[in-house]
Amino acid sequence: FSVSCVRKEKEEVPFNDISFYKNVGDSHFRASEVPNAVVKISHSGSVGTGVFVSHDGMLLTNNHVVGSGDCFKEGCFISLDFYYQKGRVVTTKSAFAQPLHGDDGADISVHQLYSTYKNGDGELVKSEVKLQTPTYLRMTNMTPDSFVGQNLYTIGHPHGALKKVTELEVLSTNGHDFWIQGAVVSGQSGSPVV
C-alpha cells in the first residue's frame, strides 16, 4: 500500500514547525513497546526512521532513507539511534544493512542488519552476527477499507529530532492507496503507521 499526505489549507504549518507532534512519553504509547521498535537511521548525511520487524535485526524503512543506489543492491553501513526520545538514554550503534527485499516504485525496503566492528586499520567491518533488537513490531493483515475514518499514528524522527508521535486520519482508499490527512515531514520517512 502507498500513503499520500493530504493537508487542508488552514492546517498548513511551517516546514520546520514540529510543535504539534507529541513526545512519545506524552502519548498513549508511553506504556507500549511500540516506540522501542522504532529507530533513527543516519546514512550518507541524511536522517530517517526505520522499524524493526523481527527480534534479530530485520529493518523496514523507505528506500531513500538508506539510499536507493549501492545500499539498495549491495548493502551499506548505517548508524542507528535507539531510544532517541525524551527521558531515555540514547544508544548509538553502527550496523551493516544487507538488502533482503526492496521496491523502488513503492519506495520500500527490508534489510537484515548485522553487527559491526573495527579492524586493525580502524575501518568498519560487517560481522556475521545479526543485530539483536530490543523489540519489534508484528505485522498484521487488514483490509484497506477497515482504515477509512480511523485515526492512525506515525512514530518517527521529524527533521531528525527526538522521537515523536503524530496523528493521521485516513480519508479514503481505492483498495490499494490510502489518502490521509496529517503532517508528515522530512526525517519521518520510514516511520511505521500504527
Side-chain angles (χ1 to χ4, degrees):
F1 295 100
S2 62
V3 177
S4 301
C5 185
V6 178
R7 287 187 282 179
K8 296 179 183 173
E9 200 64 35
K10 66 181 182 178
E11 295 178 11
E12 288 290 334
V13 294
F15 177 73
N16 60 356
D17 181 8
I18 60 171
S19 60
F20 50 89
Y21 287 80
K22 291 182 179 178
N23 286 311
V24 171
D26 299 333
S27 74
H28 67 281
F29 290 105
R30 69 182 163 275
S32 168
E33 285 295 310
V34 172
N36 294 337
V38 178
V39 292
K40 178 179 164 185
I41 302 170
S42 301
H43 173 69
S44 297
S46 65
V47 176
T49 303
V51 60
F52 288 110
V53 293
S54 77
H55 71 281
D56 62 351
M58 194 176 298
L59 183 77
L60 175 67
T61 190
N62 290 117
N63 279 345
H64 71 271
V65 170
V66 292
S68 57
D70 289 343
C71 196
F72 180 63
K73 296 174 185 158
E74 301 169 14
C76 62
F77 292 99
I78 61 174
S79 178
L80 303 168
D81 286 337
F82 293 82
Y83 312 116
Y84 189 59
Q85 62 198 59
K86 184 178 177 184
R88 296 293 301 263
V89 175
V90 179
T91 302
T92 301
K93 292 183 180 182
S94 293
F96 185 83
Q98 181 72 46
L100 297 177
H101 177 75
D103 185 325
D104 272 333
D107 189 25
I108 192 165
S109 62
V110 178
H111 294 264
Q112 176 62 60
L113 300 189
Y114 291 90
S115 297
T116 61
Y117 63 93
K118 290 192 177 184
N119 66 14
D121 295 329
E123 297 171 328
L124 210 52
V125 177
K126 170 191 166 193
S127 80
E128 295 304 316
V129 177
K130 291 180 179 179
L131 188 70
Q132 297 300 301
T133 58
T135 190
Y136 62 96
L137 290 186
R138 289 173 180 82
M139 308 297 275
T140 59
N141 189 11
M142 299 177 70
T143 64
D145 292 335
S146 67
F147 291 108
V148 176
Q150 298 296 313
N151 290 331
L152 301 176
Y153 302 87
T154 62
I155 301 172
H157 296 280
H159 302 305
L162 294 175
K163 196 176 294 174
K164 304 281 186 181
V165 175
T166 187
E167 189 171 347
L168 307 170
E169 179 186 358
V170 180
L171 301 175
S172 65
T173 179
N174 64 6
H176 186 270
D177 299 310
F178 291 104
W179 285 270
I180 61 171
Q181 179 172 298
V184 179
V185 298
S186 166
Q188 280 187 281
S189 294
S191 295
V193 177
V194 293

